[in-house]
Amino acid sequence: MDGYGNDDLLTIGAFAARARLSPKALRLYDRLGLLAPAHVDEASGYRYYRTEQTERARLVALLRQLDMPLALIGELVTLVELDGTAAAERLAAYWADVEARIAGQRTLADYLRGRLSGRSSEMEELYGKFVIEIVDVPERVVLTETRHTLADELPAWIGASLGRLEAAARECGGVTAAPFVVYHSEVSMESDGPAESCVPVADEAAARAWAQAHGRPWETVVRVEPARRLAYTRITKAQVAHPQIIAAFEAVERWLAGQGTGPTGPCREVYFADWEAAGPDDAVCDIAFPVASSVTLPVPSPVSPAGS
């Protein structure tokens, strides 16, 4: 065959020219299971392709330029032949994850640039991006789970534990305020806390009965969280990722030191937004430290309070 054969097949060279790809790329796609030849000659090993495979070949090449995982490329090129709309939605979901990761990496790069430079001006610029607020939070009853966990396991545990606790709270009069996570000791890649997930609940008696009847697998308990004054800063979904979030904690601590004071209890993250619906630049979380009642801001702020 030279170009077209009796079965309307294209040689790998002719198909490569039509698809605007190299034969080397086509051989790679075959090895990766992304685009198999229509026919392989058993005697010569020559690969042959059909004209209608051109669009799939070009699509694979374009998706690889997005640094998309090979398994997802295979899923998309198969899905697009069945349901183009569903394939487009799957691509949109993938790209939203990419943008969230890039936004987080941008925040981390800013943080590291300031830290590595050793120049106070760089650090002032970094910490100056965080606005510090003060809020008084009333006493409340909370359903809680506590776990020793490292930083890489923390996000999954927070999501799972808060989901369980919110479902339980709905059976106990409802959720009365934003859920939060208290860090009783440092959580990092070397230190495992513990961390405590907390969901404020309306009916204390019902919550205690629920914990006794259903909470044993997760060691769910009920406690009364005392009224507190919190110093906090609001961050975006991209900034929540570890270690980017460290800059927010340090910004609040730095502000407190500037006031000649410090925290009076363990730090916390208050999750007030719909995590799944939020984009990378949407505010989702308050980084907060309990402080003495004498700590105030020089000028009242209109920002809505943490834990409201």
Side-chain angles (χ1 to χ4, degrees):
M1 299 180 186
D2 59 352
Y4 292 91
N6 294 332
D7 295 323
D8 194 27
L9 294 174
L10 296 170
T11 64
I12 190 171
F15 182 76
R18 185 180 292 258
R20 297 192 292 276
L21 296 168
S22 69
K24 180 179 179 181
L26 292 173
R27 295 187 187 97
L28 174 63
Y29 296 170
D30 184 16
R31 289 200 301 273
L32 297 176
L34 300 176
L35 180 67
H39 173 71
V40 178
D41 187 278
E42 294 183 1
S44 65
Y46 289 167
R47 294 173 169 86
Y48 298 94
Y49 296 82
R50 296 192 183 279
T51 304
E52 54 266 29
Q53 291 181 280
T54 303
E55 180 59 28
R56 182 177 179 123
R58 290 176 179 172
L59 179 59
V60 169
L62 290 171
L63 292 174
R64 281 177 59 80
Q65 291 182 41
L66 295 178
D67 292 327
M68 182 177 287
L70 296 175
L72 181 54
I73 292 178
E75 175 187 328
L76 274 175
V77 294
T78 299
L79 182 59
V80 74
E81 296 170 358
L82 302 172
D83 187 340
T85 299
E89 291 173 351
R90 183 68 183 89
L91 174 59
Y94 165 75
W95 193 248
D97 289 342
V98 171
E99 289 183 325
R101 185 177 70 251
I102 292 173
Q105 290 172 332
R106 185 183 305 114
T107 302
L108 176 58
D110 288 343
Y111 170 73
L112 290 174
R113 187 183 69 245
R115 171 158 288 191
L116 293 174
S117 70
R119 295 193 296 270
S120 59
S121 60
E122 292 278 354
M123 297 308 289
E124 289 295 339
E125 178 184 356
L126 170 65
Y127 293 128
K129 295 179 179 179
F130 297 98
V131 177
I132 310 303
E133 303 290 340
I134 297 292
V135 64
D136 290 313
V137 178
E139 178 182 278
R140 55 191 56 173
V141 176
V142 292
L143 272 166
T144 82
E145 289 184 25
T146 300
R147 179 172 172 177
H148 288 273
T149 179
L150 296 176
D152 59 344
E153 303 166 339
L154 183 65
W157 176 74
I158 288 177
S161 61
L162 290 182
R164 287 190 292 267
L165 293 171
E166 288 178 321
R170 286 192 289 271
E171 298 181 28
C172 305
V175 179
T176 59
F180 57 96
V181 177
V182 179
Y183 295 97
H184 295 282
S185 188
E186 180 184 4
V187 174
S188 66
M189 294 307 296
E190 292 79 33
S191 178
D192 65 353
E196 180 188 20
S197 288
C198 303
V199 172
V201 63
D203 189 330
E204 180 177 357
R208 293 190 184 280
W210 188 97
Q212 184 174 7
H214 308 290
R216 185 169 298 177
W218 302 285
E219 300 182 357
T220 307
V221 300
V222 178
R223 68 177 179 84
V224 177
E225 171 77 1
R228 298 182 185 275
R229 173 161 289 187
L230 300 176
Y232 72 95
T233 189
R234 185 152 290 184
I235 63 174
T236 66
K237 186 174 182 177
Q239 292 171 320
V240 169
H242 186 87
Q244 294 92 301
I245 198 171
I246 293 174
F249 280 106
E250 290 181 348
V252 180
E253 290 177 307
R254 184 182 177 90
W255 183 87
L256 289 173
Q259 309 306 305
T261 187
T264 60
C267 59
R268 61 192 58 202
E269 298 166 5
V270 182
Y271 289 94
F272 56 82
D274 183 338
W275 181 267
E276 295 299 328
D281 296 324
D282 292 331
V284 297
C285 176
D286 291 334
I287 300 303
F289 287 82
V291 295
S293 58
S294 58
V295 176
T296 59
L297 288 172
V299 179
S301 170
V303 175
S304 58
S308 60

